Amino acid sequence: MVLDIFAIAFTIGLAIAMSLPLGRYMARVFLDRPTWLDRALVPVERAALRAAGAHAAEEQDWRAYARSLLVSNACMWVVALAVLVLQGVLPLNPDGIAGMGPTLAFHTAVSFVTNTNLQHYSGEAGLSYLSQMMMTWLQFVSAATGIAAFVAIVRGLGGSRIATLGNFHADLMRAAVRILLPFAVALALLFAWQGVPSTFAGAVQVETVEGDVQVIARGPVAAMVAIKQLGTNGGGFFGPNSSHPFENPTPLTNLASILAILLIPMGLIWTSGEMLERRGFARMIFATMLALYIPLLVVIVRAETAPPAAVLGVGADAAQGSMEGKEVRHGAALTGLWAVSTTITSNGSVNGMHDSLTPTGGLVALSGMWLNNIFGGVGVGFINMFVFIVVTTFLAGMMTGHAPALLGKKLEAREMRLASMVLLLHPLLILGGSALACWVWTSAPAAADTLGWLGNPGARGFSEIVYEFSSAAANNGSGFEGLGDDTAFWNIATGLVMLLGRYVPIVAPLALAGALGERPTAEETPGSLRTDTVTFAAALWSVVLVLGLLMFLPVAMLGPIAEALTQAA
Amino acid sequence: MTRELSSGLRAVAVTLVGFGVAYHVLVWGVAQVFFPQQAAGSLVRAADGTAVGSTLIAQRFVRSAYFHPRPSAVGYDAAASGGSNHGPGNPDYRDALRQRADAIQERERVRRAEIHVDMLTASGSGLDPHISPPTASLQVARVAAARGLEASAVGRVVEAQVQPPLWGFFGKSRINVLELNRALDEAFGRPHAEAARGAHGATR
């Protein structure tokens, strides 16, 4: 246990330490300053931009930026849909996987374009190699989309009387080529060295030592797993994701994966500070996020490493903690660390089955998604926290009797409306979706048989429903996989939730940032609100908890808390 | 709008070729050259060159002369991997715990308190290739008896197979079941065909 605590502290310390130079690098990339990777990457970026057309040079206001973002994402969705439906007849399909059904293809395409990577198909059994490669492509561009949106919003926040926020296509290529690509290649090669397969040969059939036949699926895995983690995508090659030994074979890949989950989300906080030239502001945000992360981490690790009552009940040695759905090489504590890290960053990859987490552990995972702003997804994590900062600034203004101003920019009614809309949409999608599913369940005759949805009885079953909508709304992608989710209802419902949960919290803040950018930056006076102080951090922390978490208390009571309280020894 | 569409489609084409194809080919190429064994799936081969499995993928062992891997919710199917997705309160899960505990107790002839969690629970992937050192120790007596060996001789092979945590603290100590069984075969020869093979306390 002591070693586990040290391992966790080591991992987080290392993540923070690595995020600082990475954040600075990313800032230099977007500020057009020279970096050490330029010689290798700038030519690639230039070639890509040339191929993408001259339009990539125009400056865009927030409306044009948002339009470019939505249209290009829509084009990606169309291509993905075509590939998935036709995968049975397209090349690179050595194991003969059939084309996807229409609602599943709709859902999967939406899922990967929105950086969610919710997978209602089962990994290696559902996709051909070509489709896996196409999903890898989407993992790059969806992550780059998030980073581009982040950069545009930071420009709006920091600019004074600017009419434009940059060019979406230029930002997209820059993010993909100069940030995601080099680190993905390095990580992929590390994974390949450690044993993650990288082959286009089909599954291999072996006769085992005892004479059984075993068909071992493999494929071009290493490349996908690297960007899966770095881009907070989460969609794995195999169904069990990073609990599969081919995606996460050793403690070293486990460490590298957890770092990859956290690095760019953490780094972008520092990047915002560099780009805004307000490092104190960035430090305040980072500290607030840590102050939300660490308590969640402590709770889940304690819950997962505690001797499970069911095991004690059969009289066995329970020192290892809860190991159902977990892997021996990682252990319960590190799986807990992964579970909280993946849900706060809307990554969604797992190295243990979340439906087998303890009720408390499951609640932590849910909380991470309900908040969705503790480091968060690449780009969008900062954006989500930015919305909370706007609200906190407004409340602080109310409390102190000053007109609210953030970083010298006045906040007016329109900005507050946009911020409130974004804030309320998230719980609306989750709670509304869950309510709809419960209504369908209660209306169906003999629901357990006719619908076949829930893998676990009682409160855990309810949690499966809530988790699925939380994961879709937060663009996370993990699941309580006991849920039988490859049905028309789940595919369409979560597909719509993913679309709204992704694009409204990007477009509305773009509008907000556009408006702020047009305003002049006021001089800081002794009376202005300081956002780089402990006081503001404490206020932000409180606002996040009260406005972000409190309204989920009823479903938490009905799900994980009820389960924890009623669990017989 | 047509300009937007044409920009969008060009972005799609460029990124698709770049990241969907070129990136994959780059990684594959380097992996094939520098890490060919791992790239192919870390396959383990018998003396005659045929593949008998992968070091990273658990396979079923039920004979008394071999160490058994963790339970699998998918029957060690490496083309349809998965976990049980049972919550800790699920009655099916609790039944499975009891059945496995009974089976292990009967097969290994040990007290319940000596059975560790990893042997009672299904792994997340269904293909966990490792067991914990205490779980291996549990099986030593049975394996030694089945092979007509001293327990200490088998114990020494087990000891040599323990992989420590990374840098001494990251991850867990573990033993790869397939590699352990092959080490046994190499040291002491393949075991004789078993008289009664039946459904020996299935580790499912």
Side-chain angles (χ1 to χ4, degrees), chain A residues 462-481:
Chain A
F462 176 75
S463 298
E464 286 176 356
I465 292 176
V466 175
Y467 197 106
E468 188 73 3
F469 278 105
S470 305
S471 179
N475 300 127
N476 183 279
S478 61
F480 273 6
E481 292 305 334

Side-chain angles (χ1 to χ4, degrees), chain A residues 127 246 282 481 526:
Chain A
L127 290 188
F246 273 170
E481 292 305 334

Side-chain angles (χ1 to χ4, degrees), chain A residues 532-549:
Chain A
D532 54 354
T533 57
V534 174
T535 316
F536 190 84
L540 178 62
W541 187 87
S542 313
V543 168
V544 166
L545 284 179
V546 171
L547 289 187
L549 212 48

Side-chain angles (χ1 to χ4, degrees), chain A residues 246-464:
Chain A
F246 273 170
E247 286 201 24
N248 189 5
T250 63
L252 181 59
T253 55
N254 200 34
L255 174 63
S257 300
I258 298 175
L259 290 174
I261 291 173
L262 293 169
L263 267 178
I264 296 185
M266 282 187 170
L268 285 175
I269 309 300
W270 305 124
T271 305
S272 73
E274 292 285 320
M275 290 180 74
L276 294 168
E277 292 183 325
R278 288 183 183 263
R279 289 171 191 82
F281 181 62
R283 274 196 293 268
M284 180 279 299
I285 297 176
F286 201 96
T288 307
M289 290 176 172
L290 266 185
L292 291 161
Y293 177 45
I294 302 294
L296 286 176
L297 172 64
V298 168
V299 169
I300 191 171
V301 171
R302 286 192 59 180
E304 295 304 314
T305 54
V311 174
L312 289 172
V314 295
D317 181 308
Q320 288 173 5
S322 296
M323 287 301 291
E324 179 78 10
K326 297 190 178 69
E327 303 282 301
V328 163
R329 62 194 177 282
H330 305 314
L334 292 178
T335 307
L337 169 65
W338 185 301
V340 63
S341 305
T342 195
T343 48
I344 61 166
T345 55
S346 88
N347 184 298
S349 63
V350 297
N351 74 346
M353 295 296 108
H354 279 200
D355 216 350
S356 298
L357 288 173
T358 59
T360 313
L363 181 59
V364 168
L366 281 164
S367 302
M369 295 188 293
W370 290 337
L371 287 173
N372 206 26
N373 60 10
I374 307 175
F375 303 113
V378 284
V380 294
F382 173 87
I383 298 174
N384 289 342
M385 187 53 97
F386 165 67
V387 171
F388 275 93
I389 290 173
V390 167
V391 173
T392 307
T393 306
F394 178 74
L395 288 172
M398 296 287 102
M399 286 195 280
T400 57
H402 283 96
L406 177 62
L407 301 184
K409 300 292 179 74
K410 273 192 63 185
L411 294 174
E412 291 170 5
R414 183 166 163 271
E415 283 80 67
M416 293 321 302
R417 273 199 292 271
L418 286 168
S420 307
M421 175 173 75
V422 172
L423 211 88
L424 290 174
L425 179 68
H426 189 61
L428 184 68
L429 290 173
I430 296 173
L431 299 174
S434 302
L436 176 68
C438 289
W439 177 79
V440 172
W441 178 271
T442 52
S443 315
D449 298 317
T450 54
L451 291 177
W453 279 357
L454 305 182
N456 285 284
R460 169 78 50 152
F462 176 75
S463 298
E464 286 176 356

Side-chain angles (χ1 to χ4, degrees), chain A residues 58 124 218 223 314 324 456, chain B residues 3 23 40 81 84 90 112:
Chain A
E58 300 174 344
E124 71 273 30
R218 46 189 184 169
V314 295
E324 179 78 10
N456 285 284
Chain B
R3 265 188 51 185
Y23 164 73
S81 46
S84 66
N90 190 316
R112 284 286 181 93

